[in-house]
Every structure is written in structure tokens, then in C-alpha cells.
């Protein structure tokens, strides 16, 4: 896999570079203001390196899930403004993805200039399952540049036109963020320093069963919290009240518990509430004694202690998924406790997942306390599952 630094070494001054970046930031629903610009900041090193080398940078990115047609709600305009602020320059936004305005603006770029294309998902072909449809968009994107750099780690698990097909049409390179994410994920999968502890939470167990299967043979401990722990508790024969439960996954969870031979650690207590609400009241109960009319919305204090104990001696930690509904104050303590215990790890600690990374920031923990906070939740999980990621495979010769 060649890197953007190889491209710079080849001499990139005056050449147009199509840079796929992950600028998919959360926006405030009413004001359209960016609420967390972490992904824009993470993309800066590659953009800066290209500018300094005199490249003419054409950035392609997506925002949210528009329905394959232009929609002002999903315009990258706020992102262009923020990117310009952070770079200390003006970043114009093309009116289209690879249409006449994009072509004219790309042609007019000077050395070191940056242009942002409008949301690539305004083109239905971007996410199409049809190779020819994606290929036609990739052809148009490829005419905008002489080389392609993929730095959109959060999108490398997608076989999309701007991630996969366009890379087949131009000399291709990995950006610095992609390189950094890969370096860290490689350390998690090849001879991780032991003890190796993985903490999984979040809402849907079915999303994460594949990664549990893949990691189980490799880890010393797998700590399970969040909404997904209730399917495991049910597999142990406990009632879980009205907590999240994926009944069709109970058998799989039971098999995994048997295979794990004690290495899967479940909560011993749970913060319950009669309703999914911040003001309905909460009580801490034994994980084996959740009342029928209550739902578990966080792990309890004894669980935090148990998990923190498992984490204290760890040399390698991967954490994905909040321990509870951290968006509501009464159910934050579990996620906070685990986030603090992960931050205190002396070896390599990696946080993956959009909500987990958001929790770290919302709860006021210091990002520098972690070895790495991944910008791509789905991509990092699929990598750990051992699946081939199309956006990475296409960069590899
Ligand atoms: P990530 O984005 O880090 O991969 P997920 O998307 O899998 O994480 O899950 C995050 C969501 O899980 C959060 O919105 C959180 O409120 C929810 N969650 C955590 N614990 C529970 C629970 N006990 N019941 C319901 N939802 C939960
Ligand atoms: Mg999420």
C-alpha cells in the first residue's frame, strides 16, 4: 500500500489530487451547526501535507444519509466553512459532486488550493449495488484529478464509488489517518501484549456477535455491558424485565458463553428504571434479579468495580459501545467508570465507535488519555472481525 508521503515524494506540485476524506460530522438539528468537529480535525494532517507540497486538492466526502439526490439539509456547506477555518484559508464548495461546477472549479485551482465537492451521496450511484452505475460516477470523479488519496477510514468498509471504484481508475495512495488507524488495528490483531481485554457495549448484540466470535479466541477477557448484556443474561437463564433483548440471539449467546469458558464477564448489578426516561426514577438491582416491570439502562457500581479490576492490569484494551444510556444523566455512571478505567490502562488503549468516542468527549474525559480514538466504528469492528474492507483492499497492490 503506497502512502500519501510516497505521492509527495514523487512530486505532487501542480498536480490535482482527489482526496476522499471522512467529514461526516454531527450537526445540530435546528441550527445546522457542527456539534463535534473531531473528524474534520482528524483529516487535517493529510490535507496540510498535500497543500504544503503544492498539490491542488479536490476533497470528496459524504454527510449523513441523503436519498441519492441533492438535499440542502445534507449540504457540506457548514463543513467547507469549518475546514477553511481550521486550515486558515477559504475552502470553496462545488455546487455538485462531479458535474460542470466541480469540473470548472477543479480546473481553476492553484497550487496548494483546496476545493470541497458537494456531498457525494447526492449521487445515487455513490452507494449503488450496481458496478456499472458506480463505475460511471467513478469515471466522472476520476477526471477531476491525476491521483487519488483515501483518508476516509470511517468509510473503507463501504464498496462505494468514491471509496472503491475511483481508486481503480487513478494512481492510489493511503492518507495519514488511514495509515494510523491501520497501524493501531494491526497491533490489536497481531500478537497483542497480554493481558488483552475487550469491552463491548452499545445497543444491538446482533451487530457485534461477529466481532465477539472473532475476538473470543484472542482475548483474555471480554467484558460485556450496555444494552447487549441482557441477551447474554437471558442466555444464563435470568429474567431481564423490559430491557433490550434480542430473543433470536439467545442461543448464540449461550453457545458463546460455553465456548468462552469464563472469559466473558457479565454485569453483576444493573441500574433499572420503569421507563426509558431520565426522570422515571432509578434503582440498582442484582443482574440476576431484574424486576419484570423494569428495564436495565446502565451497569451498576459493583459492575464498574469488577470491570475496572479486570482492566487494571491489562496491557492491551479495545473498547466499543457505551455501558448504558449515557445520553441521560442517571445512566452515565457505568460508561464514565469504564471510560476512566480504560484511560488508566498503561499499555495500548483503543476506543472505537461513534457513540463511544462521543461519550468520551461528552463526559469530559481527556482524549489524550487514550492511545487511540478511532474515527470509524463500523470499519474498525469489521477489520477486527477479519473481514476484507473494500476501500483498503483496493489500495493494496
Ligand atoms: P458505538 O457507536 O460506540 O459503536 P452503539 O451504536 O453500538 O455504540 O451503541 C450506542 C447506544 O447504545 C447509545 O445510544 C446508548 O444509549 C445505547 N445503550 C447503551 N446501553 C443501553 C441500554 N442498557 N439500553 C438501551 N440502550 C443502551
Ligand atoms: Mg453508534
Amino acid at each position: 500500500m503506497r502512502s500519501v508521503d510516497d505521492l509527495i515524494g514523487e512530486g505532487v506540485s501542480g498536480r490535482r489530487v482527489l482526496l476522499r476524506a471522512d467529514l461526516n460530522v454531527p450537526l445540530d438539528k435546528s441550527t445546522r451547526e457542527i456539534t463535534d468537529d473531531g473528524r474534520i480535525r482528524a483529516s487535517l494532517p493529510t490535507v496540510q501535507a498535500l497543500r504544503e507540497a503544492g498539490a491542488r486538492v479536490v476533497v470528496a466526502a459524504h454527510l449523513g444519509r441523503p436519498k441519492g439526490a441533492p438535499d440542502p439539509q445534507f449540504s457540506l456547506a457548514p463543513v467547507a466553512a469549518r475546514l477553511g477555518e481550521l486550515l486558515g484559508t477559504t475552502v470553496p464548495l462545488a455546487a455538485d459532486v462531479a458535474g460542470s461546477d466541480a469540473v470548472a472549479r477543479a480546473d481553476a485551482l492553484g497550487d496548494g488550493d483546496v476545493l470541497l465537492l458537494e456531498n457525494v451521496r447526492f449521487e445515487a450511484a455513490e452507494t449503488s449495488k450496481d458496478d456499472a452505475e458506480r463505475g460511471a460516477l467513478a469515471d466522472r470523479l476520476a477526471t477531476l484529478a491525476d491521483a487519488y488519496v483515501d483518508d476516509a477510514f470511517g468509510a473503507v468498509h463501504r464498496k462505494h464509488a468514491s471509496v472503491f471504484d475511483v481508486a481503480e481508475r487513478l494512481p492510489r495512495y493511503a492518507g495519514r489517518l488511514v495509515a494510523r488507524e491501520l497501524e493501531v488495528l494491526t497491533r490489536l490483531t497481531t500478537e497483542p501484549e497480554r493481558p488483552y481485554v475487550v469491552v463491548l457495549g452499545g445497543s444491538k448484540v446482533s451487530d457485534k456477535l461477529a466481532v465477539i466470535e472473532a475476538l473470543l479466541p484472542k482475548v483474555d477477557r471480554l467484558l460485556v455491558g450496555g444494552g447487549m448484556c441482557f441477551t447474554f443474561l437471558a442466555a444464563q437463564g435470568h429474567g431481564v424485565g423490559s430491557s433490550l433483548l434480542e430473543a433470536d440471539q439467545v442461543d448464540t449467546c449461550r453457545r458463546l458463553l460455553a465456548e468462552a469458558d469464563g472469559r466473558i464477564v457479565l454485569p453483576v448489578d444493573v441500574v433499572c428504571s420503569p421507563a426509558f426516561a431520565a426522570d422515571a426514577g432509578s434503582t440498582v438491582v442484582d443482574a440476576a434479579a431484574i424486576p419484570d416491570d423494569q428495564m436495565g439502562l446502565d451497569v451498576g457500581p459493583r459492575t464498574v468495580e469488577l470491570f475496572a479490576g479486570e482492566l487494571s492490569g491489562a496491557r492491551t484494551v479495545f473498547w466499543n459501545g457505551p455501558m448504558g444510556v449515557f445520553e441521560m444523566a442517571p445512566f452515565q455512571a457505568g460508561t464514565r467508570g469504564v471510560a476512566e478505567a480504560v484511560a488508566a490502562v498503561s499499555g495500548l488503549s483503543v476506543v472505537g465507535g461513534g457513540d463511544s468516542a462521543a461519550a468520551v468527549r461528552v463526559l469530559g474525559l481527556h482524549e489524550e488519555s487514550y492511545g487511540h480514538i478511532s474515527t470509524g466504528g463500523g470499519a474498525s469492528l469489521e477489520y477486527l472481525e477479519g473481514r476484507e474492507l473494500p476501500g483498503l483492499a483496493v489500495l493494496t497492490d
Side-chain angles (χ1 to χ4, degrees), residues 4-17 47-57 109-113 146-147 149 173:
V4 66
D5 294 286
D6 294 324
L7 172 61
I8 289 168
E10 290 164 22
V12 79
S13 182
R15 292 173 72 196
R16 290 176 311 168
V17 175
V47 181
Q48 286 286 35
L50 285 168
R51 289 188 71 205
E52 280 160 24
R56 305 173 174 200
V57 188
L109 286 174
D111 295 359
D113 284 354
D146 314 302
V149 173
Y173 306 83

PDB file of all heavy atoms in Angstrom, residues 4-17 47-57 109-113 146-147 149 173:
ATOM      1  N   VAL A   4       0.412   8.605   1.144  1.00  0.00           N
ATOM      2  CA  VAL A   4       0.417   9.975   0.643  1.00  0.00           C
ATOM      3  C   VAL A   4       1.832  10.542   0.683  1.00  0.00           C
ATOM      4  O   VAL A   4       2.203  11.381  -0.147  1.00  0.00           O
ATOM      5  CB  VAL A   4      -0.585  10.845   1.436  1.00  0.00           C
ATOM      6  CG1 VAL A   4      -0.168  11.014   2.886  1.00  0.00           C
ATOM      7  CG2 VAL A   4      -0.754  12.212   0.785  1.00  0.00           C
ATOM      8  N   ASP A   5       2.655  10.041   1.604  1.00  0.00           N
ATOM      9  CA  ASP A   5       4.030  10.526   1.658  1.00  0.00           C
ATOM     10  C   ASP A   5       4.850  10.011   0.472  1.00  0.00           C
ATOM     11  O   ASP A   5       5.747  10.706  -0.005  1.00  0.00           O
ATOM     12  CB  ASP A   5       4.654  10.178   3.012  1.00  0.00           C
ATOM     13  CG  ASP A   5       3.949  10.957   4.119  1.00  0.00           C
ATOM     14  OD1 ASP A   5       4.181  12.166   4.233  1.00  0.00           O
ATOM     15  OD2 ASP A   5       3.104  10.363   4.820  1.00  0.00           O
ATOM     16  N   ASP A   6       4.495   8.807  -0.018  1.00  0.00           N
ATOM     17  CA  ASP A   6       5.125   8.330  -1.264  1.00  0.00           C
ATOM     18  C   ASP A   6       4.739   9.254  -2.419  1.00  0.00           C
ATOM     19  O   ASP A   6       5.575   9.618  -3.248  1.00  0.00           O
ATOM     20  CB  ASP A   6       4.662   6.896  -1.590  1.00  0.00           C
ATOM     21  CG  ASP A   6       5.154   5.889  -0.559  1.00  0.00           C
ATOM     22  OD1 ASP A   6       6.279   6.067  -0.061  1.00  0.00           O
ATOM     23  OD2 ASP A   6       4.410   4.938  -0.244  1.00  0.00           O
ATOM     24  N   LEU A   7       3.466   9.627  -2.455  1.00  0.00           N
ATOM     25  CA  LEU A   7       2.979  10.516  -3.519  1.00  0.00           C
ATOM     26  C   LEU A   7       3.724  11.852  -3.470  1.00  0.00           C
ATOM     27  O   LEU A   7       4.159  12.374  -4.501  1.00  0.00           O
ATOM     28  CB  LEU A   7       1.467  10.732  -3.358  1.00  0.00           C
ATOM     29  CG  LEU A   7       0.822  11.787  -4.263  1.00  0.00           C
ATOM     30  CD1 LEU A   7       0.967  11.440  -5.743  1.00  0.00           C
ATOM     31  CD2 LEU A   7      -0.673  11.949  -3.921  1.00  0.00           C
ATOM     32  N   ILE A   8       3.873  12.379  -2.269  1.00  0.00           N
ATOM     33  CA  ILE A   8       4.576  13.655  -2.116  1.00  0.00           C
ATOM     34  C   ILE A   8       6.032  13.503  -2.564  1.00  0.00           C
ATOM     35  O   ILE A   8       6.581  14.371  -3.244  1.00  0.00           O
ATOM     36  CB  ILE A   8       4.452  14.155  -0.649  1.00  0.00           C
ATOM     37  CG1 ILE A   8       3.009  14.596  -0.401  1.00  0.00           C
ATOM     38  CG2 ILE A   8       5.436  15.297  -0.368  1.00  0.00           C
ATOM     39  CD1 ILE A   8       2.666  14.829   1.056  1.00  0.00           C
ATOM     40  N   GLY A   9       6.622  12.345  -2.219  1.00  0.00           N
ATOM     41  CA  GLY A   9       7.993  12.069  -2.645  1.00  0.00           C
ATOM     42  C   GLY A   9       8.136  12.035  -4.162  1.00  0.00           C
ATOM     43  O   GLY A   9       9.166  12.426  -4.719  1.00  0.00           O
ATOM     44  N   GLU A  10       7.083  11.563  -4.846  1.00  0.00           N
ATOM     45  CA  GLU A  10       7.113  11.506  -6.314  1.00  0.00           C
ATOM     46  C   GLU A  10       7.048  12.902  -6.935  1.00  0.00           C
ATOM     47  O   GLU A  10       7.329  13.067  -8.124  1.00  0.00           O
ATOM     48  CB  GLU A  10       5.926  10.678  -6.843  1.00  0.00           C
ATOM     49  CG  GLU A  10       6.024   9.185  -6.551  1.00  0.00           C
ATOM     50  CD  GLU A  10       4.676   8.456  -6.734  1.00  0.00           C
ATOM     51  OE1 GLU A  10       3.803   8.974  -7.466  1.00  0.00           O
ATOM     52  OE2 GLU A  10       4.496   7.393  -6.122  1.00  0.00           O
ATOM     53  N   GLY A  11       6.628  13.874  -6.116  1.00  0.00           N
ATOM     54  CA  GLY A  11       6.468  15.237  -6.637  1.00  0.00           C
ATOM     55  C   GLY A  11       5.029  15.481  -7.030  1.00  0.00           C
ATOM     56  O   GLY A  11       4.539  14.914  -8.009  1.00  0.00           O
ATOM     57  N   VAL A  12       4.324  16.288  -6.252  1.00  0.00           N
ATOM     58  CA  VAL A  12       2.893  16.433  -6.465  1.00  0.00           C
ATOM     59  C   VAL A  12       2.526  17.896  -6.752  1.00  0.00           C
ATOM     60  O   VAL A  12       1.378  18.232  -6.964  1.00  0.00           O
ATOM     61  CB  VAL A  12       2.149  15.850  -5.225  1.00  0.00           C
ATOM     62  CG1 VAL A  12       2.147  16.831  -4.062  1.00  0.00           C
ATOM     63  CG2 VAL A  12       0.758  15.376  -5.574  1.00  0.00           C
ATOM     64  N   SER A  13       3.551  18.758  -6.816  1.00  0.00           N
ATOM     65  CA  SER A  13       3.294  20.186  -7.035  1.00  0.00           C
ATOM     66  C   SER A  13       2.605  20.405  -8.384  1.00  0.00           C
ATOM     67  O   SER A  13       3.043  19.868  -9.411  1.00  0.00           O
ATOM     68  CB  SER A  13       4.615  20.968  -6.974  1.00  0.00           C
ATOM     69  OG  SER A  13       4.331  22.342  -7.142  1.00  0.00           O
ATOM     70  N   GLY A  14       1.511  21.148  -8.341  1.00  0.00           N
ATOM     71  CA  GLY A  14       0.770  21.446  -9.557  1.00  0.00           C
ATOM     72  C   GLY A  14      -0.151  20.333 -10.013  1.00  0.00           C
ATOM     73  O   GLY A  14      -0.927  20.513 -10.951  1.00  0.00           O
ATOM     74  N   ARG A  15      -0.081  19.173  -9.348  1.00  0.00           N
ATOM     75  CA  ARG A  15      -0.968  18.064  -9.742  1.00  0.00           C
ATOM     76  C   ARG A  15      -2.261  18.109  -8.936  1.00  0.00           C
ATOM     77  O   ARG A  15      -2.263  18.505  -7.772  1.00  0.00           O
ATOM     78  CB  ARG A  15      -0.267  16.709  -9.519  1.00  0.00           C
ATOM     79  CG  ARG A  15       0.907  16.487 -10.477  1.00  0.00           C
ATOM     80  CD  ARG A  15       1.670  15.230 -10.120  1.00  0.00           C
ATOM     81  NE  ARG A  15       0.932  14.001 -10.434  1.00  0.00           N
ATOM     82  CZ  ARG A  15       1.245  12.792  -9.931  1.00  0.00           C
ATOM     83  NH1 ARG A  15       2.274  12.671  -9.096  1.00  0.00           N
ATOM     84  NH2 ARG A  15       0.543  11.734 -10.250  1.00  0.00           N
ATOM     85  N   ARG A  16      -3.345  17.651  -9.565  1.00  0.00           N
ATOM     86  CA  ARG A  16      -4.626  17.614  -8.850  1.00  0.00           C
ATOM     87  C   ARG A  16      -4.785  16.249  -8.152  1.00  0.00           C
ATOM     88  O   ARG A  16      -4.582  15.201  -8.775  1.00  0.00           O
ATOM     89  CB  ARG A  16      -5.782  17.857  -9.810  1.00  0.00           C
ATOM     90  CG  ARG A  16      -5.833  19.302 -10.313  1.00  0.00           C
ATOM     91  CD  ARG A  16      -6.924  19.454 -11.327  1.00  0.00           C
ATOM     92  NE  ARG A  16      -6.823  18.381 -12.327  1.00  0.00           N
ATOM     93  CZ  ARG A  16      -7.764  18.107 -13.218  1.00  0.00           C
ATOM     94  NH1 ARG A  16      -8.878  18.805 -13.250  1.00  0.00           N
ATOM     95  NH2 ARG A  16      -7.603  17.128 -14.075  1.00  0.00           N
ATOM     96  N   VAL A  17      -5.128  16.306  -6.874  1.00  0.00           N
ATOM     97  CA  VAL A  17      -5.282  15.087  -6.086  1.00  0.00           C
ATOM     98  C   VAL A  17      -6.716  15.006  -5.580  1.00  0.00           C
ATOM     99  O   VAL A  17      -7.211  15.944  -4.953  1.00  0.00           O
ATOM    100  CB  VAL A  17      -4.313  15.079  -4.887  1.00  0.00           C
ATOM    101  CG1 VAL A  17      -4.560  13.855  -4.002  1.00  0.00           C
ATOM    102  CG2 VAL A  17      -2.867  15.103  -5.369  1.00  0.00           C
ATOM    103  N   VAL A  47      -4.484  16.733   4.494  1.00  0.00           N
ATOM    104  CA  VAL A  47      -4.787  17.910   3.664  1.00  0.00           C
ATOM    105  C   VAL A  47      -3.606  18.884   3.702  1.00  0.00           C
ATOM    106  O   VAL A  47      -3.146  19.372   2.659  1.00  0.00           O
ATOM    107  CB  VAL A  47      -6.067  18.628   4.159  1.00  0.00           C
ATOM    108  CG1 VAL A  47      -6.372  19.842   3.275  1.00  0.00           C
ATOM    109  CG2 VAL A  47      -7.268  17.690   4.168  1.00  0.00           C
ATOM    110  N   GLN A  48      -3.095  19.124   4.906  1.00  0.00           N
ATOM    111  CA  GLN A  48      -1.985  20.062   5.069  1.00  0.00           C
ATOM    112  C   GLN A  48      -0.742  19.600   4.320  1.00  0.00           C
ATOM    113  O   GLN A  48      -0.076  20.391   3.655  1.00  0.00           O
ATOM    114  CB  GLN A  48      -1.624  20.236   6.562  1.00  0.00           C
ATOM    115  CG  GLN A  48      -2.618  21.059   7.351  1.00  0.00           C
ATOM    116  CD  GLN A  48      -2.523  22.548   7.041  1.00  0.00           C
ATOM    117  OE1 GLN A  48      -2.251  22.940   5.911  1.00  0.00           O
ATOM    118  NE2 GLN A  48      -2.757  23.387   8.045  1.00  0.00           N
ATOM    119  N   ALA A  49      -0.435  18.304   4.473  1.00  0.00           N
ATOM    120  CA  ALA A  49       0.768  17.768   3.827  1.00  0.00           C
ATOM    121  C   ALA A  49       0.670  17.955   2.309  1.00  0.00           C
ATOM    122  O   ALA A  49       1.640  18.351   1.656  1.00  0.00           O
ATOM    123  CB  ALA A  49       0.941  16.292   4.179  1.00  0.00           C
ATOM    124  N   LEU A  50      -0.509  17.699   1.746  1.00  0.00           N
ATOM    125  CA  LEU A  50      -0.686  17.854   0.298  1.00  0.00           C
ATOM    126  C   LEU A  50      -0.573  19.316  -0.121  1.00  0.00           C
ATOM    127  O   LEU A  50       0.059  19.645  -1.127  1.00  0.00           O
ATOM    128  CB  LEU A  50      -2.050  17.275  -0.126  1.00  0.00           C
ATOM    129  CG  LEU A  50      -2.126  15.743  -0.172  1.00  0.00           C
ATOM    130  CD1 LEU A  50      -3.574  15.273  -0.320  1.00  0.00           C
ATOM    131  CD2 LEU A  50      -1.262  15.191  -1.318  1.00  0.00           C
ATOM    132  N   ARG A  51      -1.181  20.209   0.663  1.00  0.00           N
ATOM    133  CA  ARG A  51      -1.114  21.647   0.334  1.00  0.00           C
ATOM    134  C   ARG A  51       0.324  22.132   0.355  1.00  0.00           C
ATOM    135  O   ARG A  51       0.770  22.840  -0.533  1.00  0.00           O
ATOM    136  CB  ARG A  51      -1.886  22.463   1.379  1.00  0.00           C
ATOM    137  CG  ARG A  51      -3.375  22.301   1.301  1.00  0.00           C
ATOM    138  CD  ARG A  51      -4.020  23.303   2.251  1.00  0.00           C
ATOM    139  NE  ARG A  51      -3.893  24.664   1.747  1.00  0.00           N
ATOM    140  CZ  ARG A  51      -3.901  25.751   2.503  1.00  0.00           C
ATOM    141  NH1 ARG A  51      -3.982  25.646   3.819  1.00  0.00           N
ATOM    142  NH2 ARG A  51      -3.823  26.931   1.963  1.00  0.00           N
ATOM    143  N   GLU A  52       1.021  21.740   1.428  1.00  0.00           N
ATOM    144  CA  GLU A  52       2.399  22.205   1.571  1.00  0.00           C
ATOM    145  C   GLU A  52       3.285  21.707   0.432  1.00  0.00           C
ATOM    146  O   GLU A  52       4.259  22.359   0.065  1.00  0.00           O
ATOM    147  CB  GLU A  52       2.976  21.778   2.931  1.00  0.00           C
ATOM    148  CG  GLU A  52       2.520  22.709   4.050  1.00  0.00           C
ATOM    149  CD  GLU A  52       2.652  22.099   5.437  1.00  0.00           C
ATOM    150  OE1 GLU A  52       3.487  21.183   5.608  1.00  0.00           O
ATOM    151  OE2 GLU A  52       1.902  22.536   6.337  1.00  0.00           O
ATOM    152  N   ALA A  53       2.915  20.547  -0.128  1.00  0.00           N
ATOM    153  CA  ALA A  53       3.689  20.004  -1.245  1.00  0.00           C
ATOM    154  C   ALA A  53       3.249  20.616  -2.572  1.00  0.00           C
ATOM    155  O   ALA A  53       3.738  20.226  -3.632  1.00  0.00           O
ATOM    156  CB  ALA A  53       3.546  18.487  -1.281  1.00  0.00           C
ATOM    157  N   GLY A  54       2.276  21.542  -2.528  1.00  0.00           N
ATOM    158  CA  GLY A  54       1.860  22.244  -3.740  1.00  0.00           C
ATOM    159  C   GLY A  54       0.788  21.551  -4.554  1.00  0.00           C
ATOM    160  O   GLY A  54       0.511  21.936  -5.695  1.00  0.00           O
ATOM    161  N   ALA A  55       0.153  20.516  -3.965  1.00  0.00           N
ATOM    162  CA  ALA A  55      -0.908  19.820  -4.692  1.00  0.00           C
ATOM    163  C   ALA A  55      -2.149  20.708  -4.791  1.00  0.00           C
ATOM    164  O   ALA A  55      -2.338  21.622  -3.992  1.00  0.00           O
ATOM    165  CB  ALA A  55      -1.252  18.510  -3.988  1.00  0.00           C
ATOM    166  N   ARG A  56      -2.981  20.428  -5.766  1.00  0.00           N
ATOM    167  CA  ARG A  56      -4.291  21.077  -5.896  1.00  0.00           C
ATOM    168  C   ARG A  56      -5.300  20.051  -5.390  1.00  0.00           C
ATOM    169  O   ARG A  56      -5.520  19.033  -6.041  1.00  0.00           O
ATOM    170  CB  ARG A  56      -4.546  21.437  -7.351  1.00  0.00           C
ATOM    171  CG  ARG A  56      -3.408  22.281  -7.894  1.00  0.00           C
ATOM    172  CD  ARG A  56      -3.519  22.526  -9.377  1.00  0.00           C
ATOM    173  NE  ARG A  56      -2.457  23.471  -9.758  1.00  0.00           N
ATOM    174  CZ  ARG A  56      -2.465  24.204 -10.860  1.00  0.00           C
ATOM    175  NH1 ARG A  56      -3.467  24.100 -11.707  1.00  0.00           N
ATOM    176  NH2 ARG A  56      -1.471  25.031 -11.102  1.00  0.00           N
ATOM    177  N   VAL A  57      -5.885  20.302  -4.225  1.00  0.00           N
ATOM    178  CA  VAL A  57      -6.606  19.256  -3.502  1.00  0.00           C
ATOM    179  C   VAL A  57      -8.117  19.336  -3.735  1.00  0.00           C
ATOM    180  O   VAL A  57      -8.745  20.344  -3.419  1.00  0.00           O
ATOM    181  CB  VAL A  57      -6.305  19.337  -1.987  1.00  0.00           C
ATOM    182  CG1 VAL A  57      -6.893  18.124  -1.270  1.00  0.00           C
ATOM    183  CG2 VAL A  57      -4.802  19.445  -1.724  1.00  0.00           C
ATOM    184  N   LEU A 109      -8.180  25.545  -9.902  1.00  0.00           N
ATOM    185  CA  LEU A 109      -7.401  25.509  -8.652  1.00  0.00           C
ATOM    186  C   LEU A 109      -5.943  25.929  -8.879  1.00  0.00           C
ATOM    187  O   LEU A 109      -5.351  25.601  -9.905  1.00  0.00           O
ATOM    188  CB  LEU A 109      -7.405  24.085  -8.063  1.00  0.00           C
ATOM    189  CG  LEU A 109      -8.685  23.600  -7.392  1.00  0.00           C
ATOM    190  CD1 LEU A 109      -8.546  22.127  -7.019  1.00  0.00           C
ATOM    191  CD2 LEU A 109      -9.009  24.431  -6.145  1.00  0.00           C
ATOM    192  N   GLY A 110      -5.391  26.644  -7.912  1.00  0.00           N
ATOM    193  CA  GLY A 110      -3.970  26.953  -7.927  1.00  0.00           C
ATOM    194  C   GLY A 110      -3.223  25.988  -7.011  1.00  0.00           C
ATOM    195  O   GLY A 110      -3.837  25.235  -6.240  1.00  0.00           O
ATOM    196  N   ASP A 111      -1.913  25.993  -7.068  1.00  0.00           N
ATOM    197  CA  ASP A 111      -1.117  25.098  -6.215  1.00  0.00           C
ATOM    198  C   ASP A 111      -1.416  25.378  -4.740  1.00  0.00           C
ATOM    199  O   ASP A 111      -1.403  26.540  -4.317  1.00  0.00           O
ATOM    200  CB  ASP A 111       0.381  25.302  -6.482  1.00  0.00           C
ATOM    201  CG  ASP A 111       0.753  24.891  -7.905  1.00  0.00           C
ATOM    202  OD1 ASP A 111      -0.143  24.436  -8.641  1.00  0.00           O
ATOM    203  OD2 ASP A 111       1.932  25.044  -8.266  1.00  0.00           O
ATOM    204  N   GLY A 112      -1.687  24.317  -3.972  1.00  0.00           N
ATOM    205  CA  GLY A 112      -1.973  24.468  -2.539  1.00  0.00           C
ATOM    206  C   GLY A 112      -3.425  24.810  -2.225  1.00  0.00           C
ATOM    207  O   GLY A 112      -3.794  24.887  -1.060  1.00  0.00           O
ATOM    208  N   ASP A 113      -4.239  25.001  -3.274  1.00  0.00           N
ATOM    209  CA  ASP A 113      -5.658  25.307  -3.041  1.00  0.00           C
ATOM    210  C   ASP A 113      -6.438  24.045  -2.676  1.00  0.00           C
ATOM    211  O   ASP A 113      -6.051  22.931  -3.034  1.00  0.00           O
ATOM    212  CB  ASP A 113      -6.297  25.905  -4.302  1.00  0.00           C
ATOM    213  CG  ASP A 113      -5.898  27.355  -4.517  1.00  0.00           C
ATOM    214  OD1 ASP A 113      -5.225  27.923  -3.626  1.00  0.00           O
ATOM    215  OD2 ASP A 113      -6.241  27.906  -5.585  1.00  0.00           O
ATOM    216  N   ASP A 146      -5.473  13.719 -10.939  1.00  0.00           N
ATOM    217  CA  ASP A 146      -4.426  12.877 -11.523  1.00  0.00           C
ATOM    218  C   ASP A 146      -4.009  11.760 -10.570  1.00  0.00           C
ATOM    219  O   ASP A 146      -3.289  10.843 -10.949  1.00  0.00           O
ATOM    220  CB  ASP A 146      -3.184  13.728 -11.825  1.00  0.00           C
ATOM    221  CG  ASP A 146      -3.568  15.036 -12.511  1.00  0.00           C
ATOM    222  OD1 ASP A 146      -4.191  14.961 -13.580  1.00  0.00           O
ATOM    223  OD2 ASP A 146      -3.273  16.116 -11.958  1.00  0.00           O
ATOM    224  N   ALA A 147      -4.418  11.878  -9.301  1.00  0.00           N
ATOM    225  CA  ALA A 147      -4.074  10.849  -8.311  1.00  0.00           C
ATOM    226  C   ALA A 147      -5.179  10.817  -7.256  1.00  0.00           C
ATOM    227  O   ALA A 147      -5.933  11.787  -7.093  1.00  0.00           O
ATOM    228  CB  ALA A 147      -2.732  11.157  -7.651  1.00  0.00           C
ATOM    229  N   VAL A 149      -6.156   9.845  -3.164  1.00  0.00           N
ATOM    230  CA  VAL A 149      -5.702   9.526  -1.810  1.00  0.00           C
ATOM    231  C   VAL A 149      -6.937   9.211  -0.974  1.00  0.00           C
ATOM    232  O   VAL A 149      -7.883  10.002  -0.932  1.00  0.00           O
ATOM    233  CB  VAL A 149      -4.931  10.702  -1.171  1.00  0.00           C
ATOM    234  CG1 VAL A 149      -4.621  10.404   0.295  1.00  0.00           C
ATOM    235  CG2 VAL A 149      -3.645  10.981  -1.938  1.00  0.00           C
ATOM    236  N   TYR A 173      -3.298   6.009  -3.204  1.00  0.00           N
ATOM    237  CA  TYR A 173      -2.451   6.113  -2.008  1.00  0.00           C
ATOM    238  C   TYR A 173      -3.327   6.177  -0.763  1.00  0.00           C
ATOM    239  O   TYR A 173      -4.453   6.651  -0.823  1.00  0.00           O
ATOM    240  CB  TYR A 173      -1.603   7.387  -2.080  1.00  0.00           C
ATOM    241  CG  TYR A 173      -0.793   7.507  -3.348  1.00  0.00           C
ATOM    242  CD1 TYR A 173      -1.376   8.019  -4.520  1.00  0.00           C
ATOM    243  CD2 TYR A 173       0.534   7.080  -3.393  1.00  0.00           C
ATOM    244  CE1 TYR A 173      -0.646   8.113  -5.704  1.00  0.00           C
ATOM    245  CE2 TYR A 173       1.270   7.168  -4.570  1.00  0.00           C
ATOM    246  CZ  TYR A 173       0.677   7.685  -5.715  1.00  0.00           C
ATOM    247  OH  TYR A 173       1.402   7.770  -6.875  1.00  0.00           O
TER     248      TYR A 173
END
